[in-house]
Amino acid sequence: MNKVLEVKNITKSFGKIDVLKGVSFSIDQGEIFGFLGRNGAGKSTLINILTGVIHQTNGGFQILGGSLDKVKGKIGVFPDVDNFYADWSANQHLKFFAKVQKLKIQQKEIDEKLALVGLLKDKGKKVKNFSFGMKKKLGVAQALINNPEFIILDEPTSGLDAESAIHMRELVNKLAAQGKTIFITSHNLNELEILSNRIAILKDGQISVIGTMEELRVEAQNKIQVEITLNRPLKKEDLATIDLPPHQINKQNLRISVKQQEEIGNCIRQLVLKGYNIYSVIQQEKTLEDIFLQNEVAH
Ligand SMILES: Nc1ncnc2c1ncn2[C@@H]1O[C@H](COP(=O)(O)OP(=O)(O)OP(=O)(O)O)[C@@H](O)[C@H]1O
Ligand SMILES: [Mg+2]
């Protein structure tokens, strides 16, 4: 399988803030690769590095088997900021972007791109009269103008209404069906679940989990969260002699994170032996997103 992107141990610091602390992963040809992370996790920072807008502090990457400057023409990018001119129409923009990239492109092809994103009927309208969603569509059309092999989309659906988001997802699927490889960021796991073949989750500057949705589910099962309420606060001296899995304590509430159900019984036995009564044991129902994006239970 050809690797379209190989990211090796990339770090990025802005002054004293370490945003990326060693990110490594690769994307195979034809994949729709979802990149999930909370606001400020560093998704756009990584994209800016991959597209040459900023430089990494350390580490490196290869795109389409080479360095960025050699393959730029085969990449399409929809960035998280738009750079449109208010008084230009969608059509003028696409013509301009084609010219900047020295592409010999006919009006027919521009119309095809506009139709693909659903902007053909608005092609003469000035961008200052565009809605937020229409600008997103124009941004995606811009990313497609050079018929790229590898497409990087930074939150293409955030802020879109339901219908536009569905349209955008259909478009991504259509592009994948044409054999394109797609890197897409989002802070919505459900959306990436629908779209992606594989998902990586960026948390605390690193990839915390990566795999298919099935693999993520298995990983999540290893993080069962249980809230145990005791009859009295847990004493420090008792704690020192009990063998607990990763946990948090808040007065008489004890939250543990276990891999297997048996560990819950083991905890309870030890607490009872120390003379605590158990008021309740509640296994917490959490979404995958909660499990992967919440702060880990402290050890
Ligand atoms: N040029 C910069 N100078 C200083 N700090 C920066 C710069 N660019 C990004 N950051 C910081 O890096 C962190 C990651 O930002 P980034 O935009 O990559 O996050 P993100 O995952 O894309 O978030 P969002 O979901 O909101 O788009 C943030 O704390 C941000 O403030
Ligand atoms: Mg971003």
Side-chain angles (χ1 to χ4, degrees), residues 77-86 93 97 127-128 130-140 142 154:
V77 185
F78 170 62
D80 65 341
V81 285
D82 69 55
N83 47 0
F84 303 130
Y85 299 102
H93 274 96
F97 294 131
V127 163
K128 67 180 170 197
F130 269 22
S131 69
F132 178 78
M134 288 162 81
K135 282 189 203 161
K136 287 231 165 200
K137 290 174 184 173
L138 181 56
V140 174
Q142 176 188 347
D154 198 357

Side-chain angles (χ1 to χ4, degrees), residues 5 25 27 32-48 50-51 77-81 136 150-159 168-169 172 182-193 195-196 198-202 207:
L5 176 69
F25 62 92
I27 304 181
I32 302 179
F33 188 86
F35 201 58
L36 180 82
R38 283 200 166 143
N39 290 133
K43 303 179 296 294
S44 300
T45 299
L46 181 69
I47 287 181
N48 285 337
L50 298 179
T51 53
V77 185
F78 170 62
D80 65 341
V81 285
K136 287 231 165 200
F150 181 40
I151 303 165
I152 298 176
L153 303 171
D154 198 357
E155 308 224 20
T157 59
S158 73
M168 191 69 85
R169 282 184 217 127
V172 171
I182 296 157
F183 179 86
I184 179 170
T185 76
S186 173
H187 39 249
N188 180 345
L189 182 61
N190 293 332
E191 168 170 284
L192 292 183
E193 174 173 13
L195 267 181
S196 323
R198 279 195 308 139
I199 294 171
I201 299 179
L202 183 65
I207 304 285

Side-chain angles (χ1 to χ4, degrees), residues 15-252:
K16 284 187 182 153
I17 303 166
D18 300 326
V19 175
L20 302 176
K21 302 176 189 167
V23 171
S24 302
F25 62 92
S26 60
I27 304 181
D28 291 330
Q29 193 183 353
E31 274 196 300
I32 302 179
F33 188 86
F35 201 58
L36 180 82
R38 283 200 166 143
N39 290 133
K43 303 179 296 294
S44 300
T45 299
L46 181 69
I47 287 181
N48 285 337
I49 292 169
L50 298 179
T51 53
V53 176
I54 58 172
H55 280 289
Q56 66 270 33
T57 306
N58 272 306
F61 64 94
Q62 280 206 323
I63 296 189
L64 295 160
S67 61
L68 182 63
D69 46 327
K70 293 210 180 89
V71 296
K72 250 189 173 157
K74 296 178 182 174
I75 303 171
V77 185
F78 170 62
D80 65 341
V81 285
D82 69 55
N83 47 0
F84 303 130
Y85 299 102
D87 281 321
W88 285 14
S89 68
N91 198 50
Q92 281 173 312
H93 274 96
L94 292 186
K95 271 184 158 167
F96 172 73
F97 294 131
K99 201 172 160 192
V100 168
Q101 295 185 57
K102 299 191 175 65
L103 303 171
K104 292 211 164 55
I105 196 166
Q106 309 290 321
Q107 182 62 46
K108 186 172 155 275
E109 284 173 80
I110 290 182
D111 285 350
E112 275 167 20
K113 303 288 184 260
L114 286 163
L116 202 57
V117 298
L119 274 184
L120 189 56
K121 64 174 178 12
D122 300 303
K123 74 178 202 181
K125 211 183 239 181
K126 286 182 178 167
V127 163
K128 67 180 170 197
N129 299 322
F130 269 22
S131 69
F132 178 78
M134 288 162 81
K135 282 189 203 161
K136 287 231 165 200
K137 290 174 184 173
L138 181 56
V140 174
Q142 176 188 347
L144 301 178
I145 197 78
N146 56 341
N147 289 320
E149 288 174 36
F150 181 40
I151 303 165
I152 298 176
L153 303 171
D154 198 357
E155 308 224 20
T157 59
S158 73
L160 293 188
D161 62 41
E163 197 186 330
S164 300
I166 289 170
H167 182 267
M168 191 69 85
R169 282 184 217 127
E170 283 170 358
L171 174 59
V172 171
N173 278 322
K174 205 186 268 180
L175 293 166
Q178 290 170 8
K180 318 248 183 222
T181 307
I182 296 157
F183 179 86
I184 179 170
T185 76
S186 173
H187 39 249
N188 180 345
L189 182 61
N190 293 332
E191 168 170 284
L192 292 183
E193 174 173 13
I194 300 169
L195 267 181
S196 323
N197 308 100
R198 279 195 308 139
I199 294 171
I201 299 179
L202 183 65
K203 194 179 144 193
D204 300 330
Q206 290 184 312
I207 304 285
S208 68
V209 51
I210 183 166
T212 62
M213 208 57 207
E214 269 318 295
E215 287 164 343
L216 262 58
R217 285 212 172 82
V218 170
E219 180 89 4
Q221 279 164 6
N222 290 337
K223 295 188 177 173
I224 305 166
Q225 304 265 320
V226 183
E227 182 105 22
I228 302 173
T229 306
L230 307 169
N231 59 327
R232 58 188 163 91
L234 196 57
K235 282 191 185 153
K236 267 201 177 130
E237 54 265 37
D238 288 336
L239 196 59
T241 58
I242 299 176
D243 183 22
L244 288 178
H247 60 272
Q248 276 180 337
I249 298 169
N250 184 6
K251 295 183 184 153
Q252 62 214 77

